[in-house]
Amino acid sequence: MSGYTAFFNNFLGKSPNWYKLSIIVFLILNPILYFLISPFIAGWCLVIEFIFTLAMALKCYPLQPGGLLAFEAIAIGMTSPAHVKAEIMASFEVILLLMFMVAGIYFMKQLLLFAFTRLLITVRSKIVLSLSFCLSAAFLSAFLDALTVVAVIISVVMGFYGVYHKVASGNNFDDSTDITNDEKIKKDQQVLEQFRSFLRSLMMHAGVGTALGGVMTLVGEPQNLIIAEQASWGFGEFFIRMAPVTVPVLICGLLTCVMIEKMNIFGYGDKLPRKVWGILAKFNRAQQQKMNRQERQKLIIQGIIGIWLVCGLAFHLAAVGLIGLSVIVLTTAFCGITSESTIGKSFQESLPFCALLVVFFSVVAVIIDQHLFGPIINYVLSASESTQLLLFYGFNGLLSAISDNVFVATVYINEAKNALHAGIISLEQFELLAVAINTGTNLPSVATPNGQAAFLFLLTSSLAPLIRLSYGKMVYMALPYTIVLTVVGLLAVEYILPCATKYFSSLGWITALPV
Protein backbone atom coordinates (compact mmCIF):
# COMPACT_ATOMS: atom_id res chain seq x y z
CA MET A 1 0.00 0.00 0.00
CA SER A 2 1.46 3.36 -1.04
CA GLY A 3 1.72 6.32 1.30
CA TYR A 4 -0.93 8.18 -0.70
CA THR A 5 -3.39 5.27 -0.44
CA ALA A 6 -2.79 4.93 3.30
CA PHE A 7 -3.34 8.66 3.81
CA PHE A 8 -6.53 8.64 1.74
CA ASN A 9 -7.89 5.62 3.65
CA ASN A 10 -7.20 7.33 6.97
CA PHE A 11 -8.72 10.66 5.89
CA LEU A 12 -12.32 10.75 7.21
CA GLY A 13 -12.18 7.01 7.84
CA LYS A 14 -14.89 4.91 6.18
CA SER A 15 -16.64 7.81 4.46
CA PRO A 16 -17.29 7.26 0.72
CA ASN A 17 -14.43 8.19 -1.58
CA TRP A 18 -16.56 10.75 -3.45
CA TYR A 19 -17.27 12.48 -0.12
CA LYS A 20 -13.59 12.58 0.80
CA LEU A 21 -12.72 14.05 -2.61
CA SER A 22 -15.47 16.67 -2.22
CA ILE A 23 -14.00 17.89 1.08
CA ILE A 24 -10.50 18.00 -0.41
CA VAL A 25 -11.79 20.04 -3.37
CA PHE A 26 -13.50 22.46 -0.95
CA LEU A 27 -10.27 22.91 1.02
CA ILE A 28 -8.32 23.65 -2.18
CA LEU A 29 -10.98 25.91 -3.67
CA ASN A 30 -11.64 28.20 -0.69
CA PRO A 31 -8.21 29.95 -0.52
CA ILE A 32 -8.28 30.46 -4.31
CA LEU A 33 -11.69 32.11 -4.12
CA TYR A 34 -10.74 34.20 -1.10
CA PHE A 35 -7.43 35.59 -2.39
CA LEU A 36 -7.97 35.65 -6.16
CA ILE A 37 -11.72 36.10 -6.73
CA SER A 38 -13.72 37.64 -3.87
CA PRO A 39 -13.86 37.19 -0.06
CA PHE A 40 -17.65 37.65 -0.30
CA ILE A 41 -18.01 34.76 -2.77
CA ALA A 42 -15.60 32.64 -0.72
CA GLY A 43 -17.69 33.30 2.38
CA TRP A 44 -20.90 32.14 0.73
CA CYS A 45 -19.13 29.06 -0.65
CA LEU A 46 -18.00 28.21 2.89
CA VAL A 47 -21.60 28.46 4.15
CA ILE A 48 -22.82 26.17 1.34
CA GLU A 49 -20.00 23.70 2.00
CA PHE A 50 -20.81 23.58 5.71
CA ILE A 51 -24.48 22.93 4.92
CA PHE A 52 -23.28 20.10 2.65
CA THR A 53 -21.46 18.47 5.59
CA LEU A 54 -24.67 18.68 7.63
CA ALA A 55 -26.68 17.15 4.80
CA MET A 56 -24.23 14.24 4.63
CA ALA A 57 -24.27 13.66 8.41
CA LEU A 58 -25.03 9.96 7.97
CA LYS A 59 -21.96 9.57 5.69
CA CYS A 60 -19.63 11.31 8.15
CA TYR A 61 -20.30 13.19 11.37
CA PRO A 62 -20.10 16.91 10.41
CA LEU A 63 -17.63 17.80 13.16
CA GLN A 64 -14.55 16.58 11.26
CA PRO A 65 -15.18 17.95 7.73
CA GLY A 66 -16.93 21.06 9.08
CA GLY A 67 -14.07 21.59 11.51
CA LEU A 68 -11.47 21.38 8.73
CA LEU A 69 -13.38 23.99 6.71
CA ALA A 70 -13.68 26.27 9.75
CA PHE A 71 -9.98 25.94 10.66
CA GLU A 72 -8.99 26.81 7.10
CA ALA A 73 -11.30 29.84 7.10
CA ILE A 74 -9.59 31.13 10.24
CA ALA A 75 -6.12 30.34 8.88
CA ILE A 76 -6.63 32.31 5.63
CA GLY A 77 -8.16 35.30 7.44
CA MET A 78 -11.89 34.98 6.75
CA THR A 79 -12.39 35.49 10.48
CA SER A 80 -10.21 35.51 13.60
CA PRO A 81 -9.86 33.24 16.66
CA ALA A 82 -10.83 36.21 18.85
CA HIS A 83 -14.11 36.68 16.98
CA VAL A 84 -14.88 32.96 17.16
CA LYS A 85 -14.30 33.06 20.91
CA ALA A 86 -16.59 36.09 21.19
CA GLU A 87 -19.37 34.22 19.34
CA ILE A 88 -18.90 31.20 21.59
CA MET A 89 -19.01 33.31 24.77
CA ALA A 90 -22.11 35.13 23.53
CA SER A 91 -23.84 31.74 23.32
CA PHE A 92 -22.17 30.17 26.33
CA GLU A 93 -25.53 29.39 27.95
CA VAL A 94 -26.33 27.17 24.96
CA ILE A 95 -23.01 25.36 25.46
CA LEU A 96 -23.82 24.82 29.15
CA LEU A 97 -27.26 23.60 28.15
CA LEU A 98 -25.80 20.93 25.88
CA MET A 99 -23.14 19.90 28.37
CA PHE A 100 -25.37 19.40 31.39
CA MET A 101 -29.08 19.45 30.53
CA VAL A 102 -28.96 16.64 27.98
CA ALA A 103 -26.86 14.59 30.40
CA GLY A 104 -29.36 15.32 33.18
CA ILE A 105 -32.23 13.99 31.05
CA TYR A 106 -30.24 10.74 30.63
CA PHE A 107 -30.73 9.99 34.33
CA MET A 108 -34.50 10.53 34.10
CA LYS A 109 -34.99 8.00 31.30
CA GLN A 110 -36.54 5.46 33.65
CA LEU A 111 -39.43 7.78 34.52
CA LEU A 112 -39.81 9.07 30.97
CA LEU A 113 -39.85 5.61 29.43
CA PHE A 114 -42.38 4.45 32.03
CA ALA A 115 -44.73 7.40 31.39
CA PHE A 116 -44.50 7.44 27.60
CA THR A 117 -44.79 3.65 27.31
CA ARG A 118 -48.10 3.88 29.16
CA LEU A 119 -49.16 6.62 26.71
CA LEU A 120 -48.10 4.59 23.69
CA ILE A 121 -49.91 1.40 24.68
CA THR A 122 -53.01 3.26 25.90
CA VAL A 123 -53.55 5.59 22.91
CA ARG A 124 -54.08 3.39 19.87
CA SER A 125 -55.06 6.17 17.43
CA LYS A 126 -51.99 7.36 15.49
CA ILE A 127 -53.61 10.76 14.87
CA VAL A 128 -54.32 11.33 18.57
CA LEU A 129 -50.83 10.12 19.47
CA SER A 130 -49.22 12.43 16.91
CA LEU A 131 -51.25 15.39 18.18
CA SER A 132 -50.23 14.50 21.74
CA PHE A 133 -46.53 14.55 20.84
CA CYS A 134 -46.84 17.77 18.80
CA LEU A 135 -48.97 19.65 21.34
CA SER A 136 -47.00 18.54 24.40
CA ALA A 137 -43.73 19.54 22.70
CA ALA A 138 -45.26 22.94 21.84
CA PHE A 139 -46.47 23.50 25.40
CA LEU A 140 -43.15 22.49 26.97
CA SER A 141 -41.13 24.56 24.49
CA ALA A 142 -43.14 27.67 25.38
CA PHE A 143 -41.66 27.51 28.88
CA LEU A 144 -38.57 25.36 28.52
CA ASP A 145 -35.78 25.23 25.96
CA ALA A 146 -36.50 23.39 22.69
CA LEU A 147 -33.23 21.45 22.97
CA THR A 148 -34.29 20.16 26.37
CA VAL A 149 -37.67 19.07 25.04
CA VAL A 150 -36.11 17.29 22.04
CA ALA A 151 -33.55 15.62 24.32
CA VAL A 152 -36.40 14.27 26.45
CA ILE A 153 -38.27 12.86 23.44
CA ILE A 154 -35.09 11.39 21.93
CA SER A 155 -34.49 9.52 25.20
CA VAL A 156 -38.06 8.17 25.14
CA VAL A 157 -37.98 7.09 21.48
CA MET A 158 -34.54 5.54 21.94
CA GLY A 159 -36.03 3.53 24.81
CA PHE A 160 -38.92 2.31 22.63
CA TYR A 161 -36.54 1.30 19.85
CA GLY A 162 -34.17 -0.46 22.24
CA VAL A 163 -36.94 -2.53 23.85
CA TYR A 164 -38.24 -3.84 20.53
CA HIS A 165 -34.78 -4.37 19.03
CA LYS A 166 -33.64 -6.49 21.97
CA VAL A 167 -36.69 -8.76 21.83
CA ALA A 168 -36.66 -9.02 18.04
CA SER A 169 -32.96 -10.01 18.26
CA GLY A 170 -33.85 -12.89 20.60
CA ASN A 171 -32.71 -11.23 23.83
CA ASN A 172 -34.45 -10.29 27.05
CA PHE A 173 -35.48 -6.78 28.11
CA ASP A 174 -32.52 -6.37 30.47
CA ASP A 175 -29.83 -7.83 28.20
CA SER A 176 -27.07 -5.56 26.98
CA THR A 177 -27.10 -5.70 23.17
CA ASP A 178 -25.94 -3.66 20.20
CA ILE A 179 -29.14 -2.03 18.90
CA THR A 180 -27.30 -0.77 15.81
CA ASN A 181 -26.85 -4.34 14.52
CA ASP A 182 -29.88 -5.70 12.63
CA GLU A 183 -28.39 -9.06 11.59
CA LYS A 184 -30.62 -11.05 13.96
CA ILE A 185 -33.84 -9.32 12.85
CA LYS A 186 -33.92 -10.45 9.23
CA LYS A 187 -37.27 -12.25 9.54
CA ASP A 188 -38.89 -9.17 11.13
CA GLN A 189 -37.25 -6.62 8.83
CA GLN A 190 -40.57 -5.36 7.46
CA VAL A 191 -41.93 -4.82 10.98
CA LEU A 192 -38.73 -3.01 11.93
CA GLU A 193 -38.97 -0.68 8.93
CA GLN A 194 -42.60 0.14 9.74
CA PHE A 195 -41.64 0.79 13.37
CA ARG A 196 -38.84 3.09 12.21
CA SER A 197 -41.28 5.02 10.03
CA PHE A 198 -43.68 5.29 12.98
CA LEU A 199 -40.92 6.68 15.24
CA ARG A 200 -39.67 9.08 12.54
CA SER A 201 -43.10 10.62 12.24
CA LEU A 202 -43.44 11.05 16.01
CA MET A 203 -40.01 12.71 16.20
CA MET A 204 -40.85 15.13 13.37
CA HIS A 205 -44.23 16.02 14.90
CA ALA A 206 -42.48 16.72 18.20
CA GLY A 207 -39.69 18.69 16.51
CA VAL A 208 -42.15 20.95 14.71
CA GLY A 209 -44.08 21.26 17.98
CA THR A 210 -41.02 22.82 19.62
CA ALA A 211 -41.04 25.52 16.91
CA LEU A 212 -44.79 26.13 17.29
CA GLY A 213 -44.47 26.64 21.04
CA GLY A 214 -41.03 28.23 21.09
CA VAL A 215 -42.09 31.23 18.98
CA MET A 216 -44.91 32.21 21.35
CA THR A 217 -43.13 33.26 24.55
CA LEU A 218 -40.16 35.29 25.65
CA VAL A 219 -38.34 32.21 26.99
CA GLY A 220 -39.21 29.85 24.13
CA GLU A 221 -36.11 30.48 21.99
CA PRO A 222 -32.83 32.35 22.61
CA GLN A 223 -33.55 34.97 19.92
CA ASN A 224 -36.88 35.78 21.59
CA LEU A 225 -34.99 37.11 24.60
CA ILE A 226 -32.76 39.25 22.38
CA ILE A 227 -35.72 40.77 20.51
CA ALA A 228 -37.71 41.35 23.71
CA GLU A 229 -34.75 43.13 25.28
CA GLN A 230 -34.38 45.49 22.31
CA ALA A 231 -38.11 46.21 22.30
CA SER A 232 -38.42 46.45 26.12
CA TRP A 233 -41.19 43.83 26.25
CA GLY A 234 -41.98 41.74 29.31
CA PHE A 235 -43.30 38.16 29.29
CA GLY A 236 -46.98 39.08 28.99
CA GLU A 237 -46.54 41.81 26.39
CA PHE A 238 -44.30 39.62 24.27
CA PHE A 239 -46.97 36.90 24.21
CA ILE A 240 -49.73 39.39 23.30
CA ARG A 241 -47.73 41.03 20.51
CA MET A 242 -46.84 37.66 18.97
CA ALA A 243 -50.33 36.15 19.38
CA PRO A 244 -51.85 37.60 16.14
CA VAL A 245 -49.28 35.52 14.24
CA THR A 246 -48.46 32.61 16.56
CA VAL A 247 -52.01 31.55 17.48
CA PRO A 248 -53.21 31.11 13.85
CA VAL A 249 -49.94 29.34 13.05
CA LEU A 250 -50.36 26.96 16.02
CA ILE A 251 -53.92 26.08 14.98
CA CYS A 252 -52.92 25.50 11.35
CA GLY A 253 -49.85 23.53 12.44
CA LEU A 254 -51.98 21.13 14.48
CA LEU A 255 -54.43 20.79 11.58
CA THR A 256 -51.49 19.96 9.33
CA CYS A 257 -50.46 17.25 11.79
CA VAL A 258 -53.90 15.68 11.49
CA MET A 259 -54.10 15.97 7.70
CA ILE A 260 -50.71 14.49 6.81
CA GLU A 261 -51.32 11.55 9.16
CA LYS A 262 -54.80 10.98 7.76
CA MET A 263 -53.62 11.23 4.12
CA ASN A 264 -50.44 9.14 4.63
CA ILE A 265 -48.23 11.65 2.80
CA PHE A 266 -44.67 12.97 3.18
CA GLY A 267 -43.56 9.92 5.15
CA TYR A 268 -46.34 10.07 7.74
CA GLY A 269 -49.24 7.73 8.46
CA ASP A 270 -47.49 4.47 9.43
CA LYS A 271 -49.04 3.03 12.58
CA LEU A 272 -47.39 1.18 15.43
CA PRO A 273 -47.05 -2.46 14.28
CA ARG A 274 -49.22 -4.78 16.36
CA LYS A 275 -46.22 -7.01 17.07
CA VAL A 276 -44.27 -4.06 18.48
CA TRP A 277 -47.28 -2.97 20.52
CA GLY A 278 -47.43 -6.42 22.06
CA ILE A 279 -43.73 -6.31 23.00
CA LEU A 280 -44.06 -2.84 24.55
CA ALA A 281 -47.17 -3.90 26.48
CA LYS A 282 -45.33 -6.98 27.75
CA PHE A 283 -42.35 -4.80 28.69
CA ASN A 284 -44.65 -2.46 30.62
CA ARG A 285 -46.19 -5.37 32.57
CA ALA A 286 -42.76 -6.84 33.29
CA GLN A 287 -41.48 -3.51 34.58
CA GLN A 288 -44.45 -3.13 36.88
CA GLN A 289 -44.22 -6.69 38.20
CA LYS A 290 -40.56 -6.51 39.10
CA MET A 291 -40.79 -3.00 40.50
CA ASN A 292 -39.99 -3.13 44.21
CA ARG A 293 -40.23 -0.32 46.74
CA GLN A 294 -36.73 0.93 45.89
CA GLU A 295 -37.56 1.17 42.17
CA ARG A 296 -40.83 2.95 42.88
CA GLN A 297 -39.00 5.45 45.04
CA LYS A 298 -36.64 6.13 42.13
CA LEU A 299 -39.61 7.01 39.93
CA ILE A 300 -41.02 9.29 42.64
CA ILE A 301 -37.65 11.01 43.08
CA GLN A 302 -37.27 11.49 39.33
CA GLY A 303 -40.80 12.92 39.21
CA ILE A 304 -39.98 15.44 41.95
CA ILE A 305 -36.75 16.39 40.16
CA GLY A 306 -38.79 16.77 36.96
CA ILE A 307 -41.04 19.28 38.74
CA TRP A 308 -37.94 21.18 39.89
CA LEU A 309 -36.65 21.13 36.30
CA VAL A 310 -39.86 22.65 34.90
CA CYS A 311 -40.16 25.27 37.65
CA GLY A 312 -36.46 26.18 37.52
CA LEU A 313 -36.55 26.74 33.77
CA ALA A 314 -39.97 28.43 33.65
CA PHE A 315 -39.05 30.98 36.33
CA HIS A 316 -35.37 31.32 35.27
CA LEU A 317 -34.08 30.47 38.74
CA ALA A 318 -30.62 29.85 37.24
CA ALA A 319 -28.89 29.43 33.90
CA VAL A 320 -30.33 26.51 31.94
CA GLY A 321 -27.07 24.57 32.02
CA LEU A 322 -26.73 24.98 35.78
CA ILE A 323 -30.26 23.66 36.29
CA GLY A 324 -29.21 20.69 34.16
CA LEU A 325 -26.17 20.18 36.38
CA SER A 326 -28.44 20.20 39.44
CA VAL A 327 -30.56 17.48 37.79
CA ILE A 328 -27.42 15.33 37.34
CA VAL A 329 -26.40 15.79 40.98
CA LEU A 330 -29.87 15.16 42.42
CA THR A 331 -30.78 12.13 40.29
CA THR A 332 -27.44 10.38 40.77
CA ALA A 333 -27.30 11.15 44.50
CA PHE A 334 -30.83 9.94 45.31
CA CYS A 335 -31.06 7.09 42.79
CA GLY A 336 -27.88 5.30 43.88
CA ILE A 337 -25.65 6.14 40.91
CA THR A 338 -22.05 6.65 42.08
CA SER A 339 -19.90 5.14 39.31
CA GLU A 340 -17.82 7.56 37.25
CA SER A 341 -18.18 5.34 34.18
CA THR A 342 -21.99 5.40 34.45
CA ILE A 343 -22.03 9.19 34.78
CA GLY A 344 -19.63 9.46 31.84
CA LYS A 345 -22.09 7.66 29.55
CA SER A 346 -24.60 10.47 30.04
CA PHE A 347 -22.29 12.89 28.23
CA GLN A 348 -21.75 10.74 25.14
CA GLU A 349 -24.80 12.13 23.36
CA SER A 350 -24.26 15.84 24.00
CA LEU A 351 -20.53 16.56 23.80
CA PRO A 352 -20.01 15.69 20.09
CA PHE A 353 -22.87 18.05 19.21
CA CYS A 354 -21.44 20.64 21.59
CA ALA A 355 -18.16 20.54 19.66
CA LEU A 356 -20.05 20.77 16.36
CA LEU A 357 -21.89 23.85 17.62
CA VAL A 358 -18.57 25.57 18.37
CA VAL A 359 -17.53 24.87 14.76
CA PHE A 360 -20.86 26.35 13.66
CA PHE A 361 -20.08 29.54 15.60
CA SER A 362 -16.87 29.80 13.56
CA VAL A 363 -18.97 29.85 10.37
CA VAL A 364 -21.23 32.48 11.94
CA ALA A 365 -18.12 34.59 12.64
CA VAL A 366 -17.21 34.33 8.93
CA ILE A 367 -20.73 35.47 7.97
CA ILE A 368 -20.34 38.55 10.16
CA ASP A 369 -16.78 39.46 9.15
CA GLN A 370 -17.44 39.04 5.44
CA HIS A 371 -20.79 40.92 5.66
CA LEU A 372 -22.57 38.14 3.80
CA PHE A 373 -26.02 39.39 4.82
CA GLY A 374 -25.18 43.08 4.25
CA PRO A 375 -26.75 43.49 0.78
CA ILE A 376 -29.96 41.82 1.93
CA ILE A 377 -30.26 44.02 5.03
CA ASN A 378 -29.67 47.20 3.02
CA TYR A 379 -32.26 46.16 0.44
CA VAL A 380 -34.92 45.44 3.07
CA LEU A 381 -34.41 48.72 4.93
CA SER A 382 -34.56 50.71 1.70
CA ALA A 383 -38.03 49.32 0.84
CA SER A 384 -41.26 51.16 1.62
CA GLU A 385 -42.97 50.58 4.97
CA SER A 386 -45.85 48.80 3.27
CA THR A 387 -43.54 46.02 2.05
CA GLN A 388 -40.98 45.98 4.87
CA LEU A 389 -42.98 43.56 7.02
CA LEU A 390 -43.14 40.97 4.24
CA LEU A 391 -39.48 41.43 3.34
CA PHE A 392 -38.27 41.21 6.94
CA TYR A 393 -40.35 38.08 7.53
CA GLY A 394 -39.32 36.46 4.24
CA PHE A 395 -35.59 37.20 4.35
CA ASN A 396 -35.34 36.29 8.06
CA GLY A 397 -36.99 32.98 7.24
CA LEU A 398 -34.76 32.30 4.24
CA LEU A 399 -31.52 33.18 6.01
CA SER A 400 -32.52 31.30 9.17
CA ALA A 401 -33.09 28.16 7.11
CA ILE A 402 -29.46 28.22 5.92
CA SER A 403 -27.80 29.87 8.90
CA ASP A 404 -28.33 30.31 12.65
CA ASN A 405 -31.69 31.87 13.55
CA VAL A 406 -30.26 33.44 16.70
CA PHE A 407 -27.59 35.21 14.67
CA VAL A 408 -30.06 36.32 11.97
CA ALA A 409 -32.50 37.69 14.56
CA THR A 410 -29.72 39.54 16.36
CA VAL A 411 -28.45 41.19 13.18
CA TYR A 412 -31.90 42.24 11.96
CA ILE A 413 -33.27 43.54 15.28
CA ASN A 414 -30.12 45.60 15.81
CA GLU A 415 -30.39 47.06 12.29
CA ALA A 416 -34.08 47.84 12.86
CA LYS A 417 -33.26 49.53 16.18
CA ASN A 418 -30.55 51.62 14.49
CA ALA A 419 -33.05 52.61 11.78
CA LEU A 420 -35.52 53.68 14.49
CA HIS A 421 -32.96 55.91 16.21
CA ALA A 422 -31.89 57.34 12.85
CA GLY A 423 -35.49 58.26 12.08
CA ILE A 424 -35.69 55.98 9.04
CA ILE A 425 -38.67 54.07 10.47
CA SER A 426 -41.36 55.01 12.99
CA LEU A 427 -41.86 53.55 16.46
CA GLU A 428 -44.99 51.69 15.37
CA GLN A 429 -43.16 50.24 12.37
CA PHE A 430 -40.27 49.09 14.58
CA GLU A 431 -42.65 47.22 16.86
CA LEU A 432 -44.27 45.47 13.90
CA LEU A 433 -40.85 44.65 12.45
CA ALA A 434 -39.79 43.10 15.77
CA VAL A 435 -42.73 40.70 15.54
CA ALA A 436 -41.92 39.95 11.87
CA ILE A 437 -38.27 39.24 12.75
CA ASN A 438 -39.17 36.92 15.62
CA THR A 439 -41.75 34.93 13.70
CA GLY A 440 -39.63 34.94 10.54
CA THR A 441 -36.63 33.39 12.30
CA ASN A 442 -38.73 30.81 14.17
CA LEU A 443 -41.27 29.50 11.63
CA PRO A 444 -39.80 29.11 8.10
CA SER A 445 -36.56 27.85 9.65
CA VAL A 446 -38.20 24.44 10.24
CA ALA A 447 -37.42 23.84 6.55
CA THR A 448 -33.90 22.54 7.30
CA PRO A 449 -32.10 20.94 10.26
CA ASN A 450 -29.55 23.77 10.40
CA GLY A 451 -32.40 26.27 10.74
CA GLN A 452 -33.24 25.14 14.27
CA ALA A 453 -30.76 23.94 16.91
CA ALA A 454 -33.27 21.33 18.12
CA PHE A 455 -33.53 19.88 14.59
CA LEU A 456 -29.76 19.85 14.18
CA PHE A 457 -29.40 18.09 17.53
CA LEU A 458 -31.89 15.45 16.41
CA LEU A 459 -30.09 14.97 13.08
CA THR A 460 -26.71 14.42 14.75
CA SER A 461 -28.06 12.31 17.63
CA SER A 462 -27.44 8.56 17.89
CA LEU A 463 -31.18 8.04 17.31
CA ALA A 464 -31.19 9.47 13.76
CA PRO A 465 -29.28 6.60 12.07
CA LEU A 466 -31.31 4.01 14.02
CA ILE A 467 -34.64 5.27 12.63
CA ARG A 468 -33.06 6.22 9.27
CA LEU A 469 -33.68 9.95 9.69
CA SER A 470 -31.28 11.68 7.28
CA TYR A 471 -30.93 15.36 6.36
CA GLY A 472 -32.90 14.89 3.15
CA LYS A 473 -35.59 12.89 4.94
CA MET A 474 -35.99 15.64 7.54
CA VAL A 475 -36.33 18.31 4.84
CA TYR A 476 -38.89 16.16 2.99
CA MET A 477 -40.95 15.39 6.10
CA ALA A 478 -40.82 19.02 7.26
CA LEU A 479 -42.01 20.30 3.86
CA PRO A 480 -45.79 20.33 4.55
CA TYR A 481 -45.18 22.04 7.87
CA THR A 482 -42.77 24.49 6.24
CA ILE A 483 -45.33 25.49 3.61
CA VAL A 484 -48.22 25.86 6.05
CA LEU A 485 -46.28 27.64 8.81
CA THR A 486 -44.55 30.00 6.37
CA VAL A 487 -47.67 30.94 4.39
CA VAL A 488 -49.96 31.32 7.42
CA GLY A 489 -47.30 33.32 9.23
CA LEU A 490 -46.79 35.55 6.19
CA LEU A 491 -50.53 36.26 5.84
CA ALA A 492 -50.87 36.90 9.56
CA VAL A 493 -47.93 39.34 9.56
CA GLU A 494 -49.34 41.23 6.59
CA TYR A 495 -53.06 41.34 7.40
CA ILE A 496 -53.78 40.37 11.02
CA LEU A 497 -50.79 41.82 12.90
CA PRO A 498 -51.24 45.56 12.11
CA CYS A 499 -54.97 45.53 12.94
CA ALA A 500 -54.57 43.44 16.09
CA THR A 501 -51.69 45.61 17.33
CA LYS A 502 -53.80 48.76 17.02
CA TYR A 503 -56.67 47.05 18.84
CA PHE A 504 -54.45 45.80 21.68
CA SER A 505 -52.93 49.29 21.97
CA SER A 506 -56.39 50.88 22.27
CA LEU A 507 -57.17 48.49 25.14
CA GLY A 508 -53.92 49.40 26.88
CA TRP A 509 -52.61 45.83 26.75
CA ILE A 510 -49.34 46.86 25.10
CA THR A 511 -47.06 49.80 25.73
CA ALA A 512 -44.95 52.04 23.53
CA LEU A 513 -41.18 51.60 23.39
CA PRO A 514 -39.18 54.54 24.78
CA VAL A 515 -37.09 55.92 21.94
Side-chain angles (χ1 to χ4, degrees):
M1 181 183 294
S2 66
Y4 170 78
T5 304
F7 173 82
F8 192 77
N9 288 340
N10 285 332
F11 181 68
L12 299 183
K14 296 181 180 179
S15 303
N17 288 342
W18 65 263
Y19 183 84
K20 296 181 181 183
L21 289 172
S22 298
I23 300 301
I24 292 173
V25 169
F26 294 159
L27 292 171
I28 295 172
L29 182 65
N30 289 340
I32 297 174
L33 291 174
Y34 182 74
F35 290 112
L36 301 181
I37 308 298
S38 166
F40 184 83
I41 294 175
W44 271 110
C45 284
L46 178 71
V47 172
I48 295 170
E49 291 161 4
F50 186 73
I51 293 173
F52 170 81
T53 66
L54 297 178
M56 296 293 110
L58 296 184
K59 302 295 183 184
C60 177
Y61 192 71
L63 175 63
Q64 294 88 341
L68 290 174
L69 293 170
F71 293 159
E72 182 187 62
I74 296 170
I76 64 178
M78 296 176 76
T79 188
S80 66
H83 191 180
V84 174
K85 180 183 177 182
E87 291 299 320
I88 294 169
M89 296 308 296
S91 301
F92 189 63
E93 282 202 26
V94 179
I95 302 294
L96 283 178
L97 164 72
L98 287 170
M99 289 174 62
F100 297 127
M101 183 61 76
V102 177
I105 296 300
Y106 175 88
F107 294 109
M108 297 180 65
K109 283 198 300 185
Q110 185 180 359
L111 173 66
L112 295 169
L113 187 57
F114 175 80
F116 277 88
T117 301
R118 293 293 298 271
L119 175 66
L120 197 64
I121 63 177
T122 303
V123 179
R124 298 304 305 274
S125 169
K126 177 64 185 306
I127 293 176
V128 174
L129 193 63
S130 298
L131 272 175
S132 300
F133 269 72
C134 188
L135 197 55
S136 59
F139 177 78
L140 290 172
S141 295
F143 297 98
L144 311 180
D145 183 270
L147 277 173
T148 304
V149 176
V150 168
V152 169
I153 299 173
I154 285 175
S155 296
V156 170
V157 172
M158 185 78 84
F160 290 158
Y161 186 86
V163 168
Y164 171 71
H165 198 283
K166 287 178 182 180
V167 175
S169 300
N171 299 293
N172 296 318
F173 293 133
D174 297 325
D175 290 343
S176 178
T177 59
D178 181 12
I179 61 174
T180 63
N181 189 346
D182 298 341
E183 290 183 359
K184 297 181 180 179
I185 317 183
K186 291 181 179 179
K187 63 178 182 179
D188 291 328
Q189 197 65 37
Q190 186 175 356
V191 176
L192 177 62
E193 291 305 320
Q194 185 180 345
F195 186 40
R196 281 171 171 158
S197 178
F198 171 81
L199 294 179
R200 280 198 303 269
S201 63
L202 288 186
M203 284 307 311
M204 289 302 297
H205 289 313
V208 173
T210 64
L212 292 172
V215 68
M216 300 184 79
T217 65
L218 183 146
V219 298
E221 293 282 353
Q223 65 266 30
N224 299 14
L225 283 167
I226 297 169
I227 292 170
E229 182 181 353
Q230 291 292 344
S232 299
W233 294 338
F235 189 95
E237 183 168 0
F238 185 93
F239 176 81
I240 292 172
R241 286 188 178 274
M242 297 298 157
V245 181
T246 57
V247 172
V249 166
L250 174 63
I251 294 171
C252 292
L254 295 177
L255 290 175
T256 304
C257 175
V258 173
M259 291 303 297
I260 57 180
E261 282 292 342
K262 199 171 185 66
M263 297 173 67
N264 294 350
I265 56 176
F266 290 97
Y268 297 95
D270 276 324
K271 299 178 181 179
L272 179 65
R274 186 167 184 81
K275 188 171 185 178
V276 179
W277 182 90
I279 290 173
L280 292 177
K282 185 178 179 180
F283 170 75
N284 184 59
R285 289 194 300 269
Q287 291 296 101
Q288 291 184 348
Q289 289 172 359
K290 75 174 187 178
M291 193 174 291
N292 54 31
R293 179 173 295 180
Q294 187 175 356
E295 293 300 317
R296 293 183 185 278
Q297 283 187 355
K298 287 181 180 180
L299 292 180
I300 294 171
I301 289 169
Q302 290 176 25
I304 294 171
I305 294 171
I307 294 172
W308 149 245
L309 172 65
V310 173
C311 293
L313 290 171
F315 294 103
H316 296 278
L317 300 181
V320 177
L322 297 182
I323 293 175
L325 179 59
S326 73
V327 170
I328 296 174
V329 173
L330 292 172
T331 50
T332 54
F334 290 101
C335 292
I337 300 170
T338 57
S339 168
E340 181 181 358
S341 60
T342 304
I343 296 174
K345 290 179 181 178
S346 67
F347 292 91
Q348 291 179 356
E349 185 72 38
S350 60
L351 288 185
F353 182 73
C354 191
L356 175 62
L357 199 62
V358 171
V359 171
F360 183 70
F361 290 142
S362 303
V363 178
V364 170
V366 171
I367 292 173
I368 297 172
D369 284 345
Q370 301 304 321
H371 308 288
L372 301 187
F373 293 169
I376 300 174
I377 293 172
N378 294 333
Y379 170 72
V380 171
L381 287 175
S382 65
S384 63
E385 285 196 356
S386 60
T387 58
Q388 277 183 356
L389 281 179
L390 293 179
L391 291 175
F392 264 80
Y393 178 88
F395 280 114
N396 272 268
L398 176 63
L399 295 175
S400 293
I402 63 173
S403 179
D404 174 42
N405 51 11
V406 178
F407 162 69
V408 174
T410 302
V411 170
Y412 270 87
I413 195 64
N414 287 334
E415 291 295 334
K417 189 69 174 288
N418 293 335
L420 171 66
H421 287 305
I424 299 174
I425 60 175
S426 64
L427 172 60
E428 293 77 15
Q429 182 71 1
F430 171 80
E431 292 170 335
L432 295 175
L433 289 178
V435 177
I437 292 169
N438 185 69
T439 53
T441 53
N442 276 291
L443 299 176
S445 56
V446 301
T448 65
N450 40 301
Q452 298 245 355
F455 277 37
L456 186 58
F457 179 61
L458 171 58
L459 175 67
T460 56
S461 69
S462 56
L463 174 66
L466 294 180
I467 61 175
R468 305 299 187 261
L469 187 60
S470 63
Y471 188 103
K473 192 71 174 178
M474 287 187 75
V475 171
Y476 175 71
M477 295 183 73
L479 184 58
Y481 280 114
T482 302
I483 295 171
V484 172
L485 269 56
T486 301
V487 172
V488 174
L490 187 68
L491 294 174
V493 165
E494 176 68 7
Y495 298 108
I496 302 176
L497 178 63
C499 298
T501 300
K502 289 180 181 178
Y503 178 68
F504 293 154
S505 182
S506 68
L507 296 177
W509 290 0
I510 55 180
T511 57
L513 173 78
V515 181

